[in-house]
Amino acid sequence: QVQLVESGGDSVQAGGSLRLSCVTAGFTNCRYDMSWYRQTPGKQREFVSRVDSDGSATYAESVKGRFSTFREKERMYLQMDNLKPEDTGTYTCKADRFAGNWYCRDVLAGQDFWGKGTRVTISS
């Protein structure tokens, strides 16, 4: 069963740090990209970071220098430092761009899979 589960969300003061985690299941032996997005009520979902299957990472301008994302096996992490109130939101991970064996190419390819999110609240 395909599944993405986020964890690590919390309420912290501005200037603090958090590490979010996203664990995947059901993608065994596939190569895929993973991303973090965030959303606050009344706003569109916003791209935060992405890490390709080869480990290359890209970031939104608003988080560059403060956030870092990396992967270890079936997990993706988002290390968030120097947090600001505008970082508040529900953080969700996504997996896409599947490649590899027949299951990855023929069943999963072309689809996006999302977790349910983890809540981050930053107070000033």
Side-chain angles (χ1 to χ4, degrees):
Q1 180 180 358
V2 171
Q3 194 173 20
L4 290 84
V5 180
E6 304 92 339
S7 62
D10 204 348
S11 297
V12 299
Q13 290 191 326
S17 297
L18 284 173
R19 177 175 287 192
L20 306 184
S21 174
C22 173
V23 60
T24 66
F27 303 145
T28 304
N29 297 322
C30 295
R31 298 189 307 277
Y32 51 95
D33 297 351
M34 296 186 72
S35 304
W36 286 101
Y37 286 77
R38 66 187 181 191
Q39 188 169 21
T40 53
K43 292 186 178 180
Q44 286 189 331
R45 186 160 52 195
E46 173 189 24
F47 168 77
V48 175
S49 68
R50 183 178 185 86
V51 56
D52 297 341
S53 58
D54 63 1
S56 299
T58 56
Y59 300 91
E61 285 297 325
S62 60
V63 306
K64 277 184 180 178
R66 301 187 298 119
F67 291 11
S68 63
T69 187
F70 57 97
R71 295 172 64 170
E72 290 181 355
K73 296 183 179 180
E74 290 77 30
R75 285 184 181 268
M76 175 179 65
Y77 297 93
L78 182 67
Q79 177 65 39
M80 306 187 294
D81 298 317
N82 191 20
L83 284 160
K84 303 177 180 180
E86 51 263 42
D87 294 320
T88 293
T90 297
Y91 285 69
T92 308
C93 63
K94 182 181 79 167
D96 61 5
R97 296 190 64 185
F98 295 89
N101 62 30
W102 71 268
Y103 176 71
C104 312
R105 295 193 314 270
D106 299 340
V107 177
L108 301 182
Q111 300 184 69
D112 298 341
F113 296 93
W114 295 84
K116 295 184 178 181
T118 186
R119 180 72 180 168
V120 171
T121 303
I122 311 302
S123 58
S124 56

